Amino acid sequence: MSKTANAISPRRGKLELVVTAAMLTAVPEFGQAETVDISSVVKGVSGGGLSRAVNREYVIGDDTPISDYDTRIERGDLQIAFLYTNDKEQFGAHATLKWDLYSVLKKVAEYTAADLSVQFIWSPAGGATGDEEWSTDANASFIKGLTDPVGGTETNGKIQTTVTLDSPTLTPATVA
């Protein structure tokens, strides 16, 4: 078997946060409703894989099992690891508006007037025309966990945090 030259590098991916009008009401620091590229602080995206139950029953008269597939597919939690920037990173269309991804996601998670869905769109290949990308559900993706910024364990490492999302569906697309 030959080695492939078509595998995608784990670097140069793209991740965007969709800021909705509801999120803007909860967190005015966003500035305006828009899709914001946050790739400059994201270390990686993991999880979100699908699973479903498959039951196998063996009988003594056959080596092949009787398989029973569950039609319900479940999605695992999605984890996004990113760097803490202490409100010094500029995101979005505002030239002077600076905010920290951890700070605003914490406010979205703690906002109690409504359950705010948080939509992310990512492309592991970079988001160029023809690349695949996925997006979390616009109405049912909720912050399930957010770790506090931690650091100090490495002499040259950056302070980072992780957000865990519960998103029952991921929508695949191709960048036009």
Side-chain angles (χ1 to χ4, degrees), residues 19 24 36 43-44 53 56 66-67 90 100 106 108 114 118 134 163 166:
V19 178
L24 187 58
V36 180
K43 290 190 70 174
R56 292 181 177 178
I66 300 168
S67 297
Q90 177 184 327
D100 177 60
K106 185 174 181 183
V108 169
V118 181
W134 290 269
V163 63
D166 177 35

Side-chain angles (χ1 to χ4, degrees), residues 3 24 33 35 48 57 61 74 78 82-83 124 139 149 174:
K3 293 182 181 179
L24 187 58
T35 300
E57 288 290 335
E74 296 181 11
L78 187 68
F82 57 94
L83 300 176
N139 301 311
T174 301

Side-chain angles (χ1 to χ4, degrees), residues 44-155:
V45 180
S46 62
L50 62 87
S51 65
R52 68 177 173 179
V54 177
N55 296 318
R56 292 181 177 178
E57 288 290 335
Y58 290 88
V59 294
I60 61 172
D62 196 347
D63 290 337
T64 306
I66 300 168
S67 297
D68 179 22
Y69 296 91
D70 190 345
T71 58
R72 188 181 80 195
I73 294 175
E74 296 181 11
R75 285 271 173 199
D77 293 340
L78 187 68
Q79 291 88 28
I80 301 170
F82 57 94
L83 300 176
Y84 176 68
T85 61
N86 200 24
D87 296 328
K88 293 183 173 37
E89 191 75 19
Q90 177 184 327
F91 293 107
H94 297 282
T96 59
L97 188 62
K98 297 184 181 200
W99 45 272
D100 177 60
L101 185 58
Y102 166 77
S103 300
V104 295
L105 288 180
K106 185 174 181 183
K107 288 178 181 178
V108 169
E110 293 175 344
Y111 189 65
T112 56
D115 290 327
L116 287 177
S117 181
V118 181
Q119 185 179 22
F120 288 93
I121 302 170
W122 75 96
S123 174
T129 301
D131 288 344
E132 283 188 295
E133 71 178 8
W134 290 269
S135 63
T136 60
D137 192 300
N139 301 311
S141 295
F142 301 103
I143 296 175
K144 186 175 179 178
L146 181 63
T147 61
D148 288 333
V150 293
T153 57
E154 301 177 43
T155 56

